[in-house]
């Protein structure tokens, strides 16, 4: 039996970052991963491969639709999906190899196999090579999540697929039906729409990206329709998806109780993800889960066993890589006796469509619900010189500030490079900046970031300079 200070189960962004921080703090650390490729969902079948395909498809789309206007003439532009998938695989491999290097550099022992508790003090690692038992003072569960599905739908992994298969698709669908108007549906829908697929999104609720500020849902829906020809079926409850010869037929019920049928060659089921705790032996460790299968943790991220912690997608909160990472560092520092802190309100959310969508803090709907008095400032990219130069004039930045104190309470944007722009808003809010503070800070010209300053000036005293 090998003994460690800390054993981490799962090598996603939660697990591997936590292992590194534990090692930095002087602990003897092991990490257990069931797949040979380290990095979890994020590096292998999530954030990284989806962004690789989003980038490739965006280059193609721009070449077809925008290059001529920029004065670049190219003949016979064709998408080569096989090469796009190959490049994506290469990107994944480089990232995963990078994690393996980091484990080595930080002297973290990697065990390949399925980790499962045999008791609260021991984990068994099972692989084709046999089993091995590890004991530790502390354990960190970071086993992540898997795609959810719906009753009436069987994922065949060929035509009725989840994001995992969509990221390996070597054919461009003629008609891709996406079930779920959330992040995965819209990102992967964008990839294929840019490559020429017709994309229809069937969403149960009355708006897409339903957890984000309503203004973003509305504008993103309008832009995906206008720019990529997306069709939306909102307030439709999917009843079934059935294969019939080469087609898949999706039946959904609209708000009037009528059934509609959509026929496509591929159906992407993107209705959320569920925590993954199969084969983990939680019962043997005496660890409790909630009604949604998530491991229950307290404010220190301790499970019902105080020496066993859980982080990332397998616990409550948004299923985001950077949230998992923050929790990974947090737990390592708690174990080391430090007093770390995570402000969950300031975990930004991004949708990598084009334009990108990004958000941090309270939405306008939440401020209304909680009767917090607020004022709104907004700046459209059509008034930005930088956006005109790059032909990216769609979208806006919306700033919500406290009515009396002027403190920034929420920032919501649909913007070119919103994923990067939102970082300034996070910093501002972390330091409790007011809209006036940002309005008085010099921003480089010409940049997209000036739009944040302008939206803040609008929120502060309704005095944007360029609009
Ligand atoms: P995971 O990354 O899921 O890692 C868990 C690991 O544990 C896996 O490697 C798994 O094999 C392993 N494991 C599970 N059980 C065991 C066991 N018993 N023994 C050993 N190993 C085990 N988030 C973002 O922030 N930005 C994005 O752009 C983004 N894009 C995404 C795109 C897609 C298509 C998907 C599906 C997700 C995306 N996400 C994104 C979400 C992000 O991937 C997750 O939030 C993140 O990976 C969660 O990290 P984690 O460490 O909790 O778990
Ligand atoms: P999601 O929760 O973002 O969206 C699921 C959508 O499906 C929701 O809009 C929901 O209303 C809808 N839905 C649920 N049941 C339905 C039904 N029966 N019929 C029609 N629609 C239905 O989930 P996702 O898109 O599957 O993504 C899973 C997780 O992965 C998310 O939590 C997300 O945070 C993470 N992710 C993040 C990124 C990113 O940060 N850019 C990218 C991809 C995935």
């Amino acid at each position: 039996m090998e003994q460690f200070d800390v054993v981490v189960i799962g090598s996603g962004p939660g697990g591997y970052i936590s292992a590194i921080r534990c090692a930095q703090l002087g602990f003897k650390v092991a990490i257990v991963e069931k797949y040979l490729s380290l990095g979890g969902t994020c590096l292998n079948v999530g954030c990284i491969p989806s962004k690789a395909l989003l980038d490739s498809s965006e280059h193609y789309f721009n070449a077809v639709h925008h290059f001529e206007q920029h004065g670049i003439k190219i003949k016979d532009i064709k998408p080569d999906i096989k090469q796009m998938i190959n490049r994506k695989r290469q990107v994944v491999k480089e990232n995963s190899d990078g994690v393996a290097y980091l484990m080595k550099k930080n002297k973290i022992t990697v065990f390949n196999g399925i980790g499962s508790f045999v008791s609260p003090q021991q984990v068994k690692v099972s692989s084709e090579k046999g089993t091995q038992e590890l004991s530790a003072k502390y354990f960190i569960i970071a086993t992540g999540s898997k795609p959810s599905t719906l009753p009436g739908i069987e994922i065949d992994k060929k035509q009725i697929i989840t994001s995992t298969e969509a990221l390996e698709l070597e054919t461009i669908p003629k008609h891709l039906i996406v079930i779920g108007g959330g992040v995965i549906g819209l990102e992967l829908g964008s990839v294929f729409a840019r490559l020429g697929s017709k994309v229809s999104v069937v969403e149960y609720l009355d708006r897409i990206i339903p957890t984000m500020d309503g203004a973003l849902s509305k504008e993103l829906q309008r832009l995906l329709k206008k720019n990529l020809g997306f069709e939306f079926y909102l307030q439709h409850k999917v009843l079934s998806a059935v294969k019939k010869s080469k087609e898949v037929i999706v039946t959904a019920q609209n708000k009037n109780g009528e059934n509609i049928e959509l026929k496509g060659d591929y159906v992407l089921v993107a209705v959320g993800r569920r925590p993954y705790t199969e084969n983990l032996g939680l019962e043997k460790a005496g660890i409790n889960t909630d009604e949604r299968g998530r491991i229950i943790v307290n404010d220190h991220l301790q499970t019902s066993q105080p020496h066993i912690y859980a982080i990332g997608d397998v616990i409550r909160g948004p299923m985001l890589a950077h949230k998992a990472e923050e929790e990974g560092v947090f737990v390592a520092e708690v174990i080391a006796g430090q007093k770390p802190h995570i402000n969950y309100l300031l975990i930004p959310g991004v949708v990598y469509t084009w334009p990108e969508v990004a958000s941090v803090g309270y939405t306008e709907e939440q401020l209304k619900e909680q009767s917090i008095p607020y004022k709104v400032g907004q700046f459209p990219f059509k008034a930005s010189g930088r956006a005109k130069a790059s032909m990216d004039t769609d979208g806006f930045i919306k700033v919500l500030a406290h009515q009396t104190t002027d403190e920034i309470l929420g920032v919501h944007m649909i913007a070119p490079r919103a994923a990067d722009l939102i970082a300034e808003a996070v910093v501002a809010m972390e330091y409790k900046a007011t809209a006036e503070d940002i309005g008085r800070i010099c921003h480089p010209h010409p940049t997209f970031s000036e739009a944040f300053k302008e939206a803040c000036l609008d929120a502060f005293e309704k005095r944007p300079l360029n609009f």
Side-chain angles (χ1 to χ4, degrees), residues 39-54 88 92 163-164 167 184 187-188 273 321:
T41 303
C42 174
L43 263 62
N44 292 285
V45 290
C47 325
I48 299 298
S50 59
K51 268 77 251 180
L53 292 181
L54 276 156
K88 177 223 72 170
V92 166
S163 54
T164 305
L167 292 166
I184 291 183
E187 287 186 3
L188 294 181
R273 293 175 62 85

Side-chain angles (χ1 to χ4, degrees), residues 46-47 50-51 145 150 179-187 202-205 207-211 236-238 269-273 313 318-322 349-352:
C47 325
S50 59
K51 268 77 251 180
S145 62
L150 293 173
I179 306 179
V183 203
I184 291 183
L186 301 178
E187 287 186 3
V202 189
E203 166 59 48
Y204 181 69
L205 296 175
R207 63 184 179 101
I208 58 170
I209 45 167
T211 54
H236 278 72
K237 183 182 176 187
V238 172
V269 181
V271 292
R273 293 175 62 85
D313 281 12
M319 288 184 168
L320 295 172
H322 43 284
V350 176
V351 190
Y352 292 82

Side-chain angles (χ1 to χ4, degrees), residues 29 35 61 70 88 105 122 189 225 246 337 344 384 432 437:
V29 187
Y35 294 115
F61 185 83
H70 277 285
K88 177 223 72 170
K105 184 185 162 209
Q122 277 167 33
K225 222 167 159 174
K246 285 189 176 158
Y344 282 92
S384 150
K432 300 201 171 297
D437 289 333

